[in-house]
Amino acid sequence: MISVLLLGLLLPGLAQASDSPGQLMDLTQHWVGYAAIAVFVVAYTLVIFEEQLHMRKSKPVLLAAAVIWVMVAIVYRHHGDSHLVESAIRHNFLEFTELFFFLLVAMTYINAMLERGVFEALRAWLVLKGFSYRALFWLTGALSFVISPVADNLTTALIMCAVILVVGEGKPSFVSIACINVVVAANAGGAFSPFGDITTLMVWQKGVIEFFEFFALFVPSLVNFLVPALIMQFALPSGKPPAGDHEDVSMKHGALVIVGLFLLTIVTAVSFHNFLHIPPVFGMMAGLAYLKLYGYSLRRRSLSWHSGSENPPGSHDDPFNFDVFEKIAKAEWDTLFFFYGVILAVGGLGFIGYLSLASGFSYGELGPTTSNILVGFLSAIVDNIPVMFAVLTMNPEMSHNQWLLVTLTAGVGGSMLSIGSAAGVALMGQARGQYTFFGHLKWTPVIALGYGASIWVHLLVNA
């Protein structure tokens, strides 16, 4: 940061931009533009190697966002116009704020359902049924595809991976293929729902695609999941997992009520947006009020349950013990701060002029179909969130069908590499040594076949 300020002192001798005050300056050929690209690349390289460096991914992008905007502000201040920078930062911060509170409510509900044992009960049921390896492969994949549109692809993948690790103990070949299948299925399921992935949520909140229009991507997403699964199943081991003493798990009091409140929250957010033209985040915040009021009801019952008892309120044996603020505190704060860094950093690059430059080349020279297909390949290498935010910021002129295409490719393209999606990265840590980068890479051609098939089906069905 100090070096940036020192460069700012030398700005009169280094500046090349000569736009008049009140106008956006093209800084793509300016030293600030080159420095901003370098800062972003370094920060994102650190994000990619998060597992190896043991450094949270939010840290480098938070700093990168600050450095990029400080450099831009120095240039504009030198040219006598700081108002444009302030307005641009406020605009990008508003983009993040809507996403932040939307995700915070969703994460709170997911944490509440985890604490009430909803997903643990599902895991126990699958384990106790004694399915064969092939049946478990298809069940975990199908459930990932069905649950991820509501619970998001990351949470879904983690739940299914827990099942796979229990039933696949001693069978690393099964664990590897089943985890790959879960990553592909969770990403595919998340692609046809505004709640299934951060990228689809961004597209919906931006108003580019309406809520029910996402379901036009159901068939292409299903194809994306089925094509590689049909091929991978032939590499599964035969037989079934050995029977073990797996205890049955019961859900805690109020678990199904909280599931119902979460569905009601989704309905509220959709209704607010569709019928009242209110941003979906306001519906989600209303849904948080539902959970808080129900938490108050549980708290009252907890006090009644403990009256006359030696156990203090809040003890572990209390079936009504529920604190909504604990669920908020357990949100994925590193992920939320990562989104802040990405949105502000990419917004800074856009303000400099790089996104307009990229849009003119990709969507102008290559055309929307080729560009949108390349978005999927890019999201397999770089996280799909900055890629989709860049596309939304560029806002290229293209048909509604093309917007659906880029939503699809950004959502499922990350499945081609284990590092291409949050689900893949999380499972590499959860199933360490069994689900690996190179184990996934071996099946990349098959997954790419499903990627191509889903695009072909989309262009055929949604023309």
Side-chain angles (χ1 to χ4, degrees), residues 190-453:
F192 69 88
S193 164
F195 294 87
D197 190 77
I198 304 302
T199 55
T200 55
L201 176 59
M202 290 163 68
V203 172
W204 181 42
Q205 291 218 120
K206 196 78 170 180
V208 177
I209 299 174
E210 295 301 321
F211 183 85
F212 293 104
E213 291 174 337
F214 281 93
F215 297 107
L217 296 175
F218 174 79
V219 175
S221 297
L222 184 62
V223 169
N224 182 269
F225 157 53
L226 289 177
V227 169
L230 286 167
I231 298 172
M232 287 191 296
Q233 69 172 334
F234 294 108
L236 290 167
S238 58
K240 62 172 63 177
D245 296 328
H246 303 294
E247 81 174 291
D248 195 4
V249 177
S250 299
M251 290 184 287
K252 293 182 181 179
H253 183 85
L256 294 179
V257 174
I258 291 175
V259 172
L261 290 176
F262 184 46
L263 295 175
L264 179 61
T265 298
I266 294 173
V267 171
T268 303
V270 174
S271 300
F272 275 23
H273 184 65
N274 285 356
F275 303 120
L276 301 176
H277 304 289
I278 296 175
V281 65
F282 284 87
M284 293 298 288
M285 294 303 289
L288 182 60
Y290 305 157
L291 185 61
K292 280 176 169 286
L293 289 171
Y294 184 64
Y296 172 77
S297 171
L298 288 175
R299 185 68 176 168
R300 298 292 298 178
R301 296 189 67 175
S302 174
L303 292 172
S304 300
W305 187 81
H306 278 284
S307 60
S309 170
E310 295 181 359
N311 295 324
S315 58
H316 291 296
D317 59 340
D318 181 357
F320 305 108
N321 179 36
F322 183 84
D323 186 348
V324 69
F325 289 103
E326 284 184 1
K327 312 304 174 282
I328 294 173
K330 290 179 179 177
E332 289 287 336
W333 290 100
D334 180 60
T335 300
L336 293 171
F337 286 128
F338 170 72
F339 294 152
Y340 166 84
V342 166
I343 289 173
L344 269 292
V346 173
L349 295 178
F351 191 76
I352 288 170
Y354 281 117
L355 296 186
S356 297
L357 202 64
S359 178
F361 171 73
S362 59
Y363 289 94
E365 299 294 327
L366 300 178
T369 301
T370 302
S371 297
N372 291 334
I373 291 172
L374 289 175
V375 162
F377 287 102
L378 186 60
S379 66
I381 303 168
V382 182
D383 192 271
N384 59 1
I385 295 164
V387 175
M388 178 54 83
F389 185 74
V391 173
L392 289 171
T393 304
M394 290 188 289
N395 194 24
E397 285 289 334
M398 56 183 181
S399 67
H400 190 70
N401 189 45
Q402 290 292 338
W403 276 110
L404 284 170
L405 176 61
V406 75
T407 302
L408 173 69
T409 56
V412 303
S415 300
M416 286 185 277
L417 294 176
S418 62
I419 60 169
S421 66
V425 172
L427 263 58
M428 280 195 295
Q430 191 176 12
R432 192 179 302 276
Q434 299 182 81
Y435 171 64
T436 63
F437 175 83
F438 290 104
H440 191 112
L441 187 65
K442 184 173 71 174
W443 292 100
T444 293
V446 172
I447 300 168
L449 183 65
Y451 177 72

